[in-house]
Amino acid sequence: MNMESEIDRVFALQQAHQWHLRTSTAEQRKDRLRRFREVLVKYEEEIRNALASDLGRPAEEPMPFELAVTLEDIDEAIEHLDEWMKPVPVQTSAPVGQAYMIYEPRGVVLVFGSWNFPISLLLTPMVPMIAAGNCVIAKPNELTPASSAVAAKIIREAFDEREVAVFEGGVDVANALLERPFDHIFLTGSPAVGKIVMAAAARHLASVTLELGGKCPAILDDSANFDTAVSEIGMGRMTNNGQTCLCVDYVALPESLRDPFVEALGNQWRDSFYDGETFMADRNSRMVNSRNFSRVKGYIDDAVARGARVAFGGNCDEENLTIEPTILLDTPLDALVMQEEIFGPVLPIVTYRDVSEVYTFIRKSGKPLGMNIFSERRDFIEDVLRNTSSGGVSVNGWARNWPESHLPFGGVNTSGTGRYHSIHGFRELSHERAVFEVI
Ligand code: NAD
């Protein structure tokens, strides 16, 4: 059977089955999540091997981070699903009625994952989809083929295809899926593909959740706890070799902090990623492929050609797809590295005399997914919050809003639309249906 007719077959099955699934009880949905959990744990070793093969991810974590994230969300959903599914009463303005909201499934949902965390960013959004009673078709990312294969195996083993199905492949498969009238589309990916997905959704008036990227800044003032800022930003740039949607994309600080910051950050990275003077690339993930390697190397070359200075690292090894952790100084704001999301281990540091200069830059770069503020001054923190916008904010720590499951996670405009995590994910993947009963 060719790809188009196979998609038609599965889509038709799910369209019919959704009406059965929407009547499922909390207990039945929890059983599906328990089964999902069981199969995920069974494939721990294969997940670890796939991440090593696709991204050179070091294997020392006791439980691969990506698997741990999905398991945590499953456990939370199992614990709270009864409560999440309850109707929420609201006050009525008319005396003769009662009003409430019920959370019904959206229907048949399409999910696309990104390659940087190819297991968790495909499977974690499926947790609220299943909890909310939806049918799901998942398309793993083609740039990480080993992870795509394991994710597909897990889905096929854990679920009946009428409930959750998977189609592996690239843009051709993505586009074929986007032709179908899904009720909701959930993308984790780039703003460019976000526009394609939103336009495709518009053809069927499907709702969307877009978890996109952008340039996430770290802003310091001179009251910031210096050691905390250095260690959090150092980690915030290098996690997954800079290929994380919340990675610190540039640092803005007062001129007087610049040189001590560069020295301290260089020392931290030396301790983490070097043996003496030798860069130990295998202590972190590598660049996902040669296209992304060349893109990031191109940013360094372009910045240097425009007068930036490499203050740390800067060496690139094409054969092994590795780039040293790199600090850039004196980078012009119109250099590519300050205009595009870097998605690699390169950190430009810019200085400001007045923080309003930073606001002007942020406002021109699109609203970031995350913003990191380092300061001990309440008025500074509030000034940054009032004068900028971003999906989320982390104060005095890198991306601390992300693991806080009670907070919604998502972007705004260029960094996305919609929210997930915990009850926010359950509600995102549900239609909030308003009911008024005359009594
Ligand atoms: P991508 O947008 O290239 O790909 C995402 C998905 O879209 C894949 O399944 C791919 O097959 C599909 N796709 C790609 N091109 C397409 C096209 N022309 N038409 C239809 N579908 C297409 O994203 P990526 O490179 O995998 O991921 C990196 C981006 O994701 C970065 O911008 C990063 O910031 C962002 N991201 C965001 C989050 C978040 O939670 N907000 C998390 C991780 C990554």
Side-chain angles (χ1 to χ4, degrees):
M1 204 182 277
N2 73 21
M3 183 245 300
E4 292 282 352
S5 44
E6 182 60 5
I7 291 175
D8 282 336
R9 183 186 68 78
V10 173
F11 188 73
L13 275 181
Q14 292 205 349
Q15 274 201 313
H17 192 65
Q18 60 165 310
W19 297 102
H20 168 70
L21 216 50
R22 64 186 284 131
T23 62
S24 53
T25 62
E27 214 39 57
Q28 288 165 329
R29 294 180 193 182
K30 283 191 263 180
D31 279 346
R32 297 167 76 214
L33 290 169
R34 286 190 195 102
R35 169 82 187 135
F36 189 19
R37 190 184 208 291
E38 216 175 271
V39 178
L40 271 169
V41 170
K42 176 176 157 194
Y43 282 99
E44 177 180 340
E45 201 52 37
E46 283 198 38
I47 290 175
R48 194 186 291 282
N49 294 339
L51 293 170
S53 153
D54 288 331
L55 289 156
R57 193 78 61 77
E60 65 254 12
E61 300 160 325
M63 160 82 75
F65 164 77
E66 295 201 36
L67 178 55
V69 168
T70 313
L71 294 180
E72 246 175 61
D73 278 26
I74 291 178
D75 292 343
E76 210 206 349
I78 290 174
E79 192 183 335
H80 296 290
L81 189 56
D82 292 275
E83 183 193 317
W84 294 349
M85 283 175 71
K86 282 192 185 137
V88 175
V90 295
Q91 259 195 327
T92 51
S93 39
V96 289
Q98 65 172 6
Y100 51 93
M101 295 174 303
I102 52 175
Y103 293 91
E104 62 177 30
R106 288 195 179 270
V108 184
V109 177
L110 173 64
V111 55
F112 288 160
S114 62
W115 54 260
N116 58 336
F117 292 95
I119 299 289
S120 75
L121 291 178
L122 182 78
L123 301 187
T124 307
M126 279 172 37
V127 176
M129 288 170 197
I130 294 164
N134 294 287
C135 295
V136 182
I137 293 183
K139 193 198 80 64
N141 200 289
E142 67 277 23
L143 297 191
T144 40
S147 305
S148 169
V150 183
K153 214 175 188 181
I154 291 169
I155 290 171
R156 291 194 182 110
E157 190 166 322
F159 301 104
D160 181 321
E161 67 177 353
R162 289 173 305 169
E163 297 176 352
V164 184
V166 58
F167 286 90
E168 288 188 85
V171 175
D172 55 334
V173 177
N175 284 331
L177 288 164
L178 287 173
E179 289 295 317
R180 273 68 187 177
F182 282 90
D183 297 294
H184 188 86
I185 308 176
F186 190 118
L187 165 80
T188 301
S190 56
V193 176
K195 289 177 192 169
I196 294 171
V197 165
M198 206 165 184
R203 293 204 294 269
H204 307 290
L205 296 176
S207 47
V208 292
T209 306
L210 304 176
E211 298 287 345
L212 311 177
K215 292 192 81 60
C216 303
I219 309 173
L220 278 71
D221 77 351
D222 54 15
S223 75
N225 180 315
F226 186 78
D227 293 343
T228 302
V230 170
S231 90
E232 292 284 316
I233 291 170
M235 173 172 65
R237 174 68 282 179
M238 291 305 292
T239 296
N240 201 28
N241 199 23
Q243 302 167 119
T244 302
C245 55
L246 285 166
C247 265
V248 173
D249 224 58
Y250 60 98
V251 180
L253 40 62
E255 180 101 39
S256 59
L257 289 183
R258 190 190 76 173
D259 292 344
F261 190 90
V262 171
E263 191 183 341
L265 184 58
N267 289 339
Q268 180 190 321
W269 283 350
R270 232 174 252 115
D271 286 347
S272 304
F273 304 112
Y274 288 74
D275 189 356
E277 290 304 304
T278 312
F279 173 49
M280 307 297 285
D282 60 358
R283 292 188 189 166
N284 206 346
S285 303
R286 57 166 164 69
M287 301 305 294
V288 66
N289 57 19
S290 58
R291 193 172 137 250
N292 277 281
F293 168 88
S294 304
R295 185 179 56 77
V296 175
K297 179 178 183 305
Y299 292 161
I300 301 175
D301 296 343
D302 169 74
V304 170
R306 292 166 190 254
R309 276 190 300 129
V310 175
F312 187 89
N315 294 312
C316 303
D317 173 355
E318 185 159 15
E319 197 181 330
N320 295 306
L321 300 182
T322 60
I323 295 175
E324 266 186 285
T326 299
I327 300 174
L328 295 174
L329 299 181
D330 304 330
T331 310
L333 297 184
D334 61 355
L336 291 173
V337 79
M338 288 303 292
Q339 294 293 319
E340 308 284 337
E341 180 181 7
I342 300 171
F343 235 53
V346 180
L347 186 65
I349 296 178
V350 298
T351 59
Y352 65 83
R353 286 208 183 88
D354 187 302
V355 72
S356 63
E357 297 157 31
V358 186
Y359 301 156
T360 305
F361 180 73
I362 292 172
R363 288 173 193 168
K364 279 191 193 148
S365 333
K367 295 172 189 167
L369 181 61
M371 179 167 299
N372 305 277
I373 308 170
F374 292 88
S375 172
E376 296 299 319
R377 283 195 202 112
R378 193 76 240 152
D379 57 343
F380 182 82
I381 296 166
E382 280 170 14
D383 194 67
V384 178
L385 292 177
R386 268 196 306 272
N387 284 287
T388 60
S389 177
S390 65
V393 180
S394 177
V395 178
N396 293 327
W398 170 60
R400 295 301 175 92
N401 55 309
W402 179 75
E404 175 46 66
S405 69
H406 295 102
L407 280 174
F409 177 74
V412 52
N413 294 128
T414 44
S415 52
T417 184
R419 302 276 173 269
Y420 74 128
H421 280 185
S422 190
I423 191 171
H424 310 286
F426 173 81
R427 291 195 173 164
E428 178 80 7
L429 275 307
S430 301
H431 164 55
E432 191 173 67
R433 195 175 188 186
V435 184
F436 187 97
E437 286 185 24
V438 177
I439 47 173

